[in-house]
Amino acid sequence: MSTERIFIIRTRDHTTAALQISFELNATDRAREIRGLCQAMAAHSLSHGIILTYNQEEELLTPDGMKIHVMPVWRWLIEGSGNMPDIGSL
């Protein structure tokens, strides 16, 4: 079981997103951060998730087909959740 803290975004009737927060994805913690997010995504039947970082940005595709968008937290805050990449289209 993961000890990661994942933020889950819900509407009234369903989960819309899973967010992982990490200062940076590096060789030491990258696999752990991705694994924790994927576990949360699977538990909530999500195929896409977001990892918020200080300044990294990339798109990841896991071996089981889950998509993860890595983006700087400043971009997410400035663009707001309404302008955030559509979780379903990542």
Side-chain angles (χ1 to χ4, degrees):
M1 179 172 208
S2 174
T3 59
E4 297 299 312
R5 302 297 184 251
I6 309 296
F7 295 89
I8 302 298
I9 299 174
R10 293 185 50 85
T11 62
R12 290 182 181 181
D13 56 351
H14 70 285
T15 301
T16 60
L19 298 172
Q20 172 70 299
I21 314 292
S22 179
F23 183 76
E24 85 176 338
L25 295 181
N26 57 45
T28 304
D29 63 14
R30 184 179 181 89
R32 184 189 76 236
E33 301 283 4
I34 292 169
R35 183 175 51 251
L37 181 58
C38 286
Q39 288 173 349
M41 290 163 54
H44 292 276
S45 300
L46 298 169
S47 60
H48 302 84
I50 297 173
I51 298 177
L52 297 175
T53 65
Y54 176 69
N55 67 355
Q56 291 171 286
E57 190 160 9
E58 66 180 297
E59 299 289 329
L60 305 171
L61 183 60
T62 67
D64 46 345
M66 293 179 171
K67 293 181 182 179
I68 298 173
H69 182 73
V70 179
M71 67 186 304
V73 68
W74 62 263
R75 180 183 309 279
W76 185 76
L77 290 170
I78 289 171
E79 293 177 356
S81 60
N83 295 326
M84 192 170 67
D86 179 13
I87 302 299
S89 68
L90 288 177

